[in-house]
Amino acid sequence: MLQAPGQALLWGSQDFQHPAATHQILLQDGIRVAYKLERAARRSIGFQVSEHGLSIRAPRGLSMAQLEASIHEKSRWIAQKLQEQRERAGQVQAQRIAWVDGAALPFLGGLLTLHLNLAAPRGGSLLAVGEGAWSLHLPVAANAGAAQVRAGVAAWWLRHARGLFTERLQHYAPQLGVQWRSLRLSNARTRWGSAKSDGSIMLNWRLLHCRLAVLDYVVVHELSHLRVMDHSPRFWAVVAEASPGYAALRAELREHASPLWA
């Protein structure tokens, strides 16, 4: 049953509400969903489930009764995707970094443990202490505030990201027969990289949280754009030259959730 946006509802823990909701519906399994509806000049209904909730784009001439029927047909899929988004958000929240001595950060598919000591080398020191385990020593007081600790880690992280990204670009560019000219770091939440025809590359420093193989896939992806600037079959054939298993790596990247640095 569709309900008007202004009608009062008792929301439970299994219900979902889009922050910009315009309509509400009770699904067949008893889950209430407040969703955002947009009308557009289109022929079919578009369903999208994001971290915000359910958004629907429907043809302007479609009646609410027809829309309701379509929502109920997809009710199981909608509920499943909304729950997956909620679980993913919970995982990200659980990965919020505590900026204290001894904190652990995901790093190249493993864990990096932070050690704060004013006697540490000025630029910081990274030590491999086991398989998938690193120790980062920074010249910051062990009792420093969170903002100071975060700033110290961020400065080291950006330097390390630039150095590693440069190394991987130099490794793969000759294999693909391309030449890159500049590297820019980004902290975008929704884009891992980009490339321009002039040879400039942008890579997200959050890639350091991923496995090296996944990071390398992004490097190969962007370098491949220096040969083919679209995502045609020809482009993916170029990617496969240096990253034969790119499909699995691409899927892994889509499921990756970086920890929150705030």
Side-chain angles (χ1 to χ4, degrees):
M1 178 179 64
L2 284 168
Q3 303 185 15
Q7 188 171 349
L9 285 176
L10 179 62
W11 292 89
S13 60
Q14 296 302 309
D15 298 331
F16 301 89
Q17 189 166 16
H18 193 291
T22 58
H23 294 72
Q24 301 169 352
I25 189 170
L26 180 65
L27 299 184
Q28 294 172 349
D29 50 7
I31 297 176
R32 297 182 188 274
V33 177
Y35 63 93
K36 178 182 177 182
L37 174 62
E38 295 181 5
R39 296 285 186 171
R42 55 183 297 147
R43 301 179 63 181
S44 60
I45 304 173
F47 295 88
Q48 180 181 19
V49 176
S50 69
E51 67 271 19
H52 301 298
L54 174 63
S55 299
I56 299 176
R57 300 191 73 214
R60 290 194 178 96
L62 188 76
S63 71
M64 291 304 296
Q66 291 172 312
L67 176 61
E68 177 185 15
S70 296
I71 294 174
H72 282 301
E73 287 179 5
K74 293 184 69 70
S75 62
R76 180 166 296 182
W77 178 88
I78 291 170
Q80 178 184 344
K81 294 301 180 181
L82 286 170
Q83 184 59 37
E84 289 175 358
Q85 285 290 342
R86 176 171 288 175
E87 292 173 357
R88 185 174 294 116
Q91 291 171 359
V92 172
Q93 182 67 22
Q95 291 178 356
R96 185 181 296 273
I97 299 170
W99 299 106
V100 297
D101 183 45
L105 288 72
F107 182 72
L108 297 180
L111 282 179
L112 179 154
T113 302
L114 183 59
H115 296 280
L116 306 178
N117 188 336
L118 288 174
R122 182 177 179 181
S125 176
L126 180 67
L127 302 175
V129 294
E131 184 175 356
W134 292 266
S135 177
L136 175 60
H137 298 259
L138 290 179
V140 178
N143 60 351
Q148 183 180 354
V149 175
R150 182 174 63 246
V153 175
W156 177 89
W157 194 275
L158 293 176
R159 288 194 304 271
H160 192 81
R162 180 171 292 279
L164 181 58
F165 293 170
T166 298
E167 174 191 315
R168 305 316 289 164
L169 286 166
Q170 292 174 340
H171 175 76
Y172 284 108
Q175 295 185 34
L176 293 165
V178 298
Q179 185 174 18
W180 63 282
R181 299 186 181 281
S182 64
L183 169 65
R184 181 172 62 89
L185 301 184
S186 164
N187 67 345
R189 295 295 302 180
T190 59
R191 174 175 287 189
W192 293 109
S194 66
K196 296 182 179 179
S197 57
D198 64 2
S200 60
I201 302 289
M202 183 278 288
L203 294 172
N204 195 316
W205 55 258
R206 299 178 195 277
L207 284 167
L208 285 188
H209 291 305
C210 303
R211 293 192 304 120
L212 183 60
V214 175
L215 186 160
D216 279 350
Y217 157 69
V218 177
V219 169
V220 169
H221 184 115
E222 302 311 332
L223 286 173
S224 297
H225 275 309
L226 301 185
R227 283 174 57 181
V228 184
M229 290 303 294
D230 55 32
H231 287 101
S232 63
R234 179 167 164 255
F235 166 78
W236 292 112
V238 173
V239 173
E241 291 179 16
S243 182
Y246 74 84
L249 297 171
R250 185 184 183 203
E252 182 176 340
L253 184 64
R254 285 178 170 175
E255 296 299 318
H256 175 78
S258 295
L260 299 179
W261 279 61

